[in-house]
């Protein structure tokens, strides 16, 4: 407990006593008796704050409608307070928002502290029992209910001979009845190892699982991502990913916030595999225009994720699956990454059937994206890159040339692709001495590729030598 909260609780309790009240401390406290008393008090509090049956609540409402406020009993008053978050038979809205509910709140606004003390917890329960849809536009009557609770909180606490746990909770967390009820909880919510610790701490308030409070807490936490410093943000990514898995309703909002913030970090070029997988499952492949979910993020953020897929595909192709591939080709193609809008991996039988842990993990994370290469050697794989408006096809096994097309050389809906579909010299874009050709990787092939690519309108913004530090240098 903070010093401020402790001082507040002491002041509110002490103010209810006169200076002459002195506790006699000459006798030993009966600890066992006090413990038994505490248990009995807790049982009494639970019974006192148990929600009455609907038929009793509805009976009190009927009594109010027929006889007015003057003939209500203490039990009727409590029933009316419990009723505010309920939908009455034959109606479509919560009682709080009906004419009867508004009359009840107006009456409580003018009531003495003795009556408010009687109905305070039922009012508090009804306040938190409302859902986000009920209060998202902050209706006036809901704010009036909050004002009744906030105005009378101290008086109820002072008048209580034995403050209840929920009273102490309200004193310790005074902002819970303010315009920013979850602001002070956000940091704890994100940093606590035990995600249920906050729920346990606020347990005495008996908030419903679908309360607007939890919705506000999650949304406030998501909003906080934008203003986090980079170090704090990178630390909380796993917490938000776990939250997205637990709370599917907020998954899209969480994903948007995480990706937008990641795009502004110094690590944006580093593939975040879990985020990439979450994004793929949520919105599909960003490389397809049909994946409309990607309109939720800025174009620059979408480009970042596309580059994640491209980089991951090239790294898998040249390092993970293709032991015999010339890894210098990774350094060559990765320099075009800022111009690549689409990538596709074609795996041969060896790569598709491999039981190596890393192979299985890559296939699982990219389920639905990979295609099978047919009609070639077992070890051969292929990749396709769309650079600007040109489709480049290359292979892992030596002896296979590189091809370029101005169209997608296969039917994208097919999962199995014949190698002949990727090798069509009749329609390639590379030309030498008036003849269409595919480019081999012999000799100083990088310079030759540069020249042919420039001839069809493709050039890199990066100098080739600047890509040697990619991590995939010569072996």
């Amino acid at each position: 407990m903070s010093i401020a909260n402790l001082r507040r609780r002491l002041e509110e309790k002490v103010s209810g006593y006169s200076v002459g009240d002195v506790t006699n401390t000459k006798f030993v406290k009966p600890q066992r008796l006090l413990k038994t008393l505490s248990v009995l008090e807790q049982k009494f509090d639970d019974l006192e704050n148990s929600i009455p049956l609907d038929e009793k609540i509805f009976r009190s409402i009927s009594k109010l409608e027929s006889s007015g406020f003057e003939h209500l009993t203490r039990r009727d008053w409590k029933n009316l307070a419990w009723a505010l978050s309920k939908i009455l038979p034959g109606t479509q809205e919560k009682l709080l928002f009906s004419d009867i509910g508004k009359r009840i709140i107006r009456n409580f606004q003018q009531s003495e502290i003795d009556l408010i003390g009687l109905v305070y917890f039922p009012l508090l329960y009804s306040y938190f029992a409302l859902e986000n849809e009920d209060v998202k536009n902050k209706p006036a009557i809901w704010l009036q209910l909050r004002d009744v609770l906030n105005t009378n909180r101290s008086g109820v606490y002072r008048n209580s001979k034995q403050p209840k746990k929920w009273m102490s909770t309200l004193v310790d967390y005074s902002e819970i009845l303010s315009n920013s009820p979850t602001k002070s909880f956000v940091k704890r919510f994100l940093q606590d190892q035990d995600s249920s610790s906050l729920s346990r701490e606020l347990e005495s308030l008996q908030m419903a699982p679908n309360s607007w409070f939890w919705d506000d807490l999650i949304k406030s936490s998501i909003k906080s991502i934008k203003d986090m410093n980079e170090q704090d943000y990178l630390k909380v990514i796993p917490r938000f990913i776990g939250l997205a898995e637990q709370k599917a309703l907020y998954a899209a909002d969480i994903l948007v916030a995480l990706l937008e913030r990641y795009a502004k970090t110094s690590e944006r070029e580093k593939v975040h595999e879990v985020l990439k997988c979450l994004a793929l499952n949520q919105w599909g492949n960003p490389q397809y225009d049909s994946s409309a979910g990607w309109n939720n993020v800025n174009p620059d953020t979408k480009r970042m994720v596309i580059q994640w897929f491209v980089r991951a595909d090239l790294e898998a192709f040249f390092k993970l699956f293709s032991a015999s591939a010339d890894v210098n080709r990774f350094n060559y193609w990765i320099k075009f990454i800022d111009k690549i809008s689409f990538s596709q991996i074609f795996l041969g039988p060896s790569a598709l059937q491999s039981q190596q842990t890393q192979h299985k993990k890559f296939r699982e994370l990219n389920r639905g994206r990979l295609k099978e290469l047919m009609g070639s050697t077992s070890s051969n794989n292929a990749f396709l890159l769309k650079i600007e408006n040109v489709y480049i096809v290359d292979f892992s096994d030596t002896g296979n040339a590189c091809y370029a097309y101005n169209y997608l050389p296969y039917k994208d809906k097919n999962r199995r692709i014949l190698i002949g579909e990727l090798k069509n010299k009749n329609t390639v874009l590379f030309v030498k001495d008036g003849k269409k050709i595919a480019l081999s990787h012999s000799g100083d092939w990088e310079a030759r590729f540069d020249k042919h690519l420039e001839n069809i309108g493709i050039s890199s913004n990066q100098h080739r030598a600047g890509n040697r530090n990619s991590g995939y240098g010569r072996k």
Side-chain angles (χ1 to χ4, degrees), residues 178-196:
S178 71
N179 286 324
S180 303
T182 60
K183 184 177 180 179
S184 65
F185 297 106
V186 169
K187 188 173 182 179
R188 285 186 49 198
F189 177 70
L190 297 178
Q191 292 182 349
D192 283 354
Q193 296 295 324
D194 182 0
S195 59
S196 62

Side-chain angles (χ1 to χ4, degrees), residues 390-408:
V390 175
Y391 296 88
I392 301 292
V393 178
D394 210 347
F395 300 86
S396 62
D397 283 0
T398 57
N400 288 278
C402 174
Y403 297 75
Y405 307 95
N406 59 7
Y407 65 97
L408 193 67

Side-chain angles (χ1 to χ4, degrees), residues 204-229:
S204 65
L205 302 183
Q206 294 187 25
M207 295 181 187
N210 58 344
S211 169
W212 61 264
F213 178 86
W214 302 117
D215 184 89
D216 189 279
L217 177 59
I218 294 174
K219 289 182 177 178
S220 296
S221 299
I222 295 172
K223 289 180 181 177
S224 72
I225 293 175
K226 181 179 180 181
D227 299 320
M228 286 182 185
N229 63 55

Side-chain angles (χ1 to χ4, degrees), residues 243-260:
L243 187 62
E245 293 172 348
Q246 298 167 13
K247 307 285 187 180
L249 181 64
Y250 305 97
D253 291 336
I254 291 172
L255 184 57
V256 168
L258 289 177
L259 290 176
E260 296 287 13

Side-chain angles (χ1 to χ4, degrees), residues 378-435:
S378 177
S379 61
N380 199 19
N381 303 312
F383 71 79
L384 176 141
L385 303 175
K386 184 181 181 183
I387 308 176
E388 302 286 10
N389 291 316
V390 175
Y391 296 88
I392 301 292
V393 178
D394 210 347
F395 300 86
S396 62
D397 283 0
T398 57
N400 288 278
C402 174
Y403 297 75
Y405 307 95
N406 59 7
Y407 65 97
L408 193 67
Y410 60 90
K411 292 182 179 179
D412 192 47
K413 65 179 181 180
N414 293 345
R415 191 180 68 83
R416 296 178 173 179
I417 306 299
L418 289 169
I419 192 172
E421 297 179 64
L422 305 179
K423 289 186 171 185
N424 189 342
K425 287 187 177 180
N426 294 324
T427 57
V428 293
L429 297 178
F430 297 135
V431 177
K432 182 180 180 180
D433 299 331
K435 294 183 179 180

Side-chain angles (χ1 to χ4, degrees), residues 21-169:
D21 289 333
V22 180
T23 302
N24 191 330
T25 59
K26 291 183 178 180
F27 300 100
V28 177
K29 291 184 178 180
Q31 298 294 345
R32 293 181 62 184
L33 184 59
L34 290 173
K35 185 176 181 180
T36 302
L37 178 62
S38 177
V39 172
L40 291 174
E41 286 177 342
Q42 184 62 52
K43 289 183 178 180
F44 180 79
D45 289 344
D46 291 343
L47 180 62
E48 183 184 30
N49 293 326
S50 60
I51 304 175
L53 296 175
D54 283 353
E55 61 183 78
K56 294 183 178 181
I57 291 176
F58 299 154
R59 194 180 304 141
S60 294
I61 295 172
S62 297
K63 186 175 181 180
L64 170 62
E65 291 179 309
S66 60
S67 305
F69 290 108
E70 294 77 11
H71 297 87
L72 297 179
T73 65
R74 290 171 62 85
R75 177 55 58 187
D76 288 329
W77 281 114
K78 292 189 73 171
N79 286 343
L80 293 180
W82 286 112
L84 292 173
S85 62
K86 291 185 173 293
I87 298 177
L88 303 186
T91 65
Q92 301 295 323
E93 61 182 356
K94 303 286 174 62
L95 180 66
L96 176 65
F97 306 109
S98 68
D99 290 337
I100 298 176
K102 293 173 183 177
R103 287 171 55 201
I104 293 172
I105 294 299
R106 283 197 297 269
N107 191 279
F108 285 140
Q109 286 178 312
Q110 302 166 10
S111 298
E112 299 294 332
I113 191 65
D114 289 343
L115 177 58
I116 295 298
L118 174 71
V119 301
Y120 194 95
F121 186 83
L123 287 177
L124 186 69
Y125 176 87
S126 292
Y127 176 70
F128 285 118
L130 297 171
E131 300 177 28
N132 184 59
E133 282 299 311
D134 298 321
V135 302
K136 65 179 181 180
N137 295 322
K138 296 188 180 301
I141 191 64
W142 179 67
L143 296 179
Q144 290 170 24
L145 171 57
R146 186 181 71 188
D147 184 63
V148 171
L149 293 168
N150 195 34
T151 301
N152 292 282
R153 171 175 47 191
S154 297
V156 170
Y157 188 93
R158 287 195 301 268
N159 284 1
S160 175
K161 294 180 180 179
Q162 181 66 39
K164 310 296 190 297
K165 179 66 172 69
W166 59 266
M167 294 181 185
S168 300
T169 301

Side-chain angles (χ1 to χ4, degrees), residues 260 263-264 268 297-307:
E260 296 287 13
K264 293 179 173 61
R268 64 168 287 152
V297 298
N298 292 321
D300 178 66
T301 302
K302 181 179 178 180
R303 282 193 295 272
M304 174 191 73
V305 181
I306 290 175
Q307 290 175 9

